[in-house]
Amino acid sequence: MKHTLLFCAALLAGCSTVAPPQPAAPSGGAAPLVTTASGAQEFRLANGMPLIVQPDHRAPTAIQMLWVRTGSMDEVNGTTGVAHVVEHMMFKGSAKLAPGEFSRRVAQLGGQENAFTTRDYTGYYQQIPANRLKDVMALEADRFAHNQWPDAEFRKEIEVIKEERRMRTDDQPRAALMEQLNAATFMASPYHHPVIGWMNDLDNLQPDDVRQFYRTWYTPANAALVIAGDVDPQQVRAWAEEIYGRLPVQVLPARKPQLEPGQKGMRRISLKAPAEQAYVALAFHIPAMHRLQDLGATDRDALSLLVLSAVLSGYDGARLDRALTQGPDRVADSAGAWASVFGRGPATFMLSGVPAQGKSAADVESALRAEVARVAKDGVSSAELARVKAQWAASTIYARDSLRGQASDLGSNWIQGLPLDADDRLLALLQHVAPADVQSVAERYFGDDQLTVGILVPQPVAAGAKPRAAAPGGTQGGAQGAIR
């Protein structure tokens, strides 16, 4: 589920509906447990591992994604970053393959591959010619079940990860601010930790810490296989049963709830760092969205908050653009809003901005809050909501052209315990969000007691210094999504 909303053109005629679920088949049976209107099918392998298949015959290619329901929120103090380190070490060998051999084999098959770690999950994927799908299934299943490597490989790779942290966070003032804002926003929730880990923990991480995390969470009981592309679902099911369905299953440890206590007063942090401009980020606690049918009050509020984020900055010339970055009295060079309501942990609504020349961080903070207050006081128009929904319609149609996009939606929906057709259900719900709903959440969720403010305080940049380029998102072994 993406953090930004999507909308479907079918809203004009009613969103597509879900085919009635098929009767549950015995483990390993041929009948899918669920089939959606888009053709996605879910099976259960003999060992209980879910298999989700989305046929798409527009090109002779396929993508395999393996989703493991573990991320930085499953870590403990002293070993933060270990989920991301496991992701790196998955490329370092198995009982059958030497370090680096996995990637070489995928390339020889004509494929591309990558991996990613977030708070909630770790994912691995390979996009290959469809006729080589079975080959990469065997490769992935082997390292998933039999990852192993010598200590020397870990010692080399942990230095790579520490450098990645320096490039992504320590040498990027805005990223460093967001890391500290995140830690101040979440006191008890494991979302407090950065995905890549604290540097001190990386310095002291041991090979057996990584092996233990892998042994604990990498089991078919905690993973799902998603295949999309030019494939026959029944053939894929047969291959998956042969390759993945025989893998042994271990019992998962109980996940204890680590709930965030209610905030009782505004929090503020500041970070001094060499930078050309200040940066302002506001984090508000809001309800998460857990259900897409028979919605409770907090689910309805979460949906309306998603809409509010799009009203504020969901398209060129949206409210924050018009009010803060345009005209002779503009206060910001840029401004944005986003609501993160889907995930295994708590939710936040973010506002951010970069002060224009001659304006202060305080000016931007006041202007951002004033725009939300304006919605709370005056509401939004039906025409404004219609424009937002039209933007979502276009983005949805575009996103579904991508095999990786389709597989990512299916996998992330599974991670969060949502139905396969969660996107369509969400899109159908959006048409019922009214201006009064958006005004109501703007009135109720943006008080001081829900707010943590982060300010980047620019310091002089050394003469001749060139800022290091941030490591690109989605690189092999790349930790993603620490805030958004």
Side-chain angles (χ1 to χ4, degrees):
M1 185 70 60
K2 290 167 284 297
H3 294 304
T4 54
L5 280 177
L6 300 176
F7 206 74
C8 72
L11 279 178
L12 299 176
C15 206
S16 59
T17 57
V18 182
Q22 301 296 317
S27 294
L33 300 176
V34 177
T35 302
T36 71
S38 67
Q41 298 181 24
E42 181 174 356
F43 303 89
R44 194 76 61 195
L45 303 182
N47 58 6
M49 185 176 184
L51 165 68
I52 302 166
V53 186
Q54 174 68 69
D56 185 329
H57 301 293
R58 290 176 293 179
T61 187
I63 188 167
Q64 170 181 236
M65 298 192 83
L66 181 67
W67 294 78
V68 187
R69 191 184 273 125
T70 192
S72 64
M73 74 174 298
D74 298 300
E75 299 167 351
V76 298
N77 288 335
T79 58
T80 64
V82 67
H84 175 231
V85 176
V86 170
E87 178 212 316
H88 273 249
M89 301 313 295
M90 288 286 283
F91 292 87
K92 298 302 177 180
S94 71
K96 296 180 179 178
L97 298 180
E101 185 65 21
F102 179 92
S103 296
R104 288 191 288 272
R105 293 281 187 92
V106 173
Q108 288 169 358
L109 293 170
Q112 299 177 332
E113 41 92 39
N114 220 315
F116 46 89
T117 303
T118 74
R119 292 164 164 172
D120 297 326
Y121 54 82
T122 309
Y124 304 86
Y125 70 89
Q126 304 87 37
Q127 188 156 355
I128 35 64
N131 63 355
R132 309 314 298 264
L133 175 61
K134 186 178 181 182
D135 296 319
V136 296
M137 290 173 72
L139 287 170
E140 185 67 273
D142 172 56
R143 72 169 176 176
F144 173 67
H146 307 295
N147 178 234
Q148 64 182 51
W149 32 265
D151 287 0
E153 285 295 326
F154 165 81
R155 294 191 181 98
K156 288 190 297 184
E157 198 63 24
I158 197 67
E159 295 305 318
V160 172
I161 293 166
K162 287 156 67 174
E163 179 63 12
E164 181 182 343
R165 182 189 157 81
R166 295 183 191 101
M167 292 180 65
R168 287 178 176 271
T169 303
D170 299 343
D171 294 342
Q172 300 293 328
R174 293 184 192 177
L177 173 71
M178 295 302 285
E179 179 180 84
Q180 292 197 19
L181 176 66
N182 190 65
T185 300
F186 300 112
M187 306 286 288
S189 167
Y191 277 9
H192 171 92
H193 302 304
V195 173
I196 201 165
W198 301 111
M199 184 63 88
N200 180 69
D201 288 350
L202 297 178
D203 285 337
N204 292 286
L205 202 66
Q206 299 300 312
D208 283 347
D209 295 328
V210 182
R211 294 184 179 109
Q212 181 59 45
F213 193 91
Y214 163 76
R215 287 193 295 265
T216 299
W217 300 112
Y218 278 61
T219 171
N222 198 43
L225 181 65
V226 179
I227 305 290
D230 189 18
V231 298
D232 171 23
Q234 288 298 332
Q235 178 64 78
V236 171
R237 186 205 63 81
W239 288 340
E241 198 68 77
E242 173 189 346
I243 296 168
Y244 286 92
R246 299 176 181 177
L247 300 180
V249 178
Q250 67 191 44
V251 177
L252 290 169
R255 283 180 163 112
K256 296 182 179 180
Q258 299 180 68
L259 303 181
E260 187 67 23
Q263 188 169 328
K264 298 179 180 179
M266 185 190 299
R267 301 170 188 160
R268 284 187 172 273
I269 66 156
S270 62
L271 173 72
K272 295 179 179 180
E276 299 290 343
Q277 293 176 290
Y279 183 67
V280 180
L282 313 181
F284 295 87
H285 288 287
I286 59 172
M289 192 164 190
H290 298 295
R291 306 177 63 180
L292 292 173
Q293 56 186 4
D294 302 322
L295 300 188
T298 57
D299 292 306
R300 289 193 294 272
D301 282 352
L303 183 67
S304 298
L305 286 157
L306 278 172
V307 175
L308 173 60
S309 71
V311 166
L312 292 172
S313 69
Y315 55 92
D316 291 340
R319 285 190 174 221
L320 293 183
D321 266 351
R322 295 197 309 271
L324 274 69
T325 72
Q326 299 176 11
D329 298 323
R330 68 190 189 93
V331 299
D333 285 343
S334 63
W338 64 95
S340 301
V341 301
F342 292 101
R344 292 169 51 204
T348 52
F349 193 109
M350 302 292 301
L351 297 169
S352 68
V354 176
Q357 186 173 7
K359 300 297 182 179
S360 68
D363 294 330
V364 173
E365 179 184 339
S366 296
L368 288 168
R369 298 196 70 182
E371 282 309 301
V372 178
R374 186 170 288 110
V375 174
K377 180 178 181 292
D378 301 328
V380 297
S381 69
S382 297
E384 196 169 10
L385 289 190
R387 179 171 183 179
V388 165
K389 293 172 182 179
Q391 293 287 329
W392 291 328
S395 64
T396 300
I397 293 169
Y398 179 79
R400 289 180 177 175
D401 279 341
S402 162
L403 276 188
R404 184 181 171 190
Q406 293 178 64
S408 293
D409 283 346
L410 292 166
S412 57
N413 289 341
W414 175 82
I415 289 288
Q416 297 163 72
L418 298 173
L420 290 189
D421 65 326
D423 288 342
D424 283 346
R425 292 181 190 236
L426 175 63
L427 300 176
L429 289 170
L430 290 174
Q431 63 184 315
H432 301 298
V433 176
D437 300 319
V438 179
Q439 183 174 11
S440 177
V441 294
E443 291 171 344
R444 292 183 286 118
Y445 288 106
F446 295 88
D448 287 355
D449 286 353
Q450 292 145 310
L451 172 61
T452 303
V453 179
I455 305 291
L456 172 62
V457 182
Q459 304 297 296
V461 178
K466 294 182 179 180
R468 295 175 65 173
T475 57
Q476 181 174 299
Q480 298 179 338
I483 297 295
R484 292 193 69 165

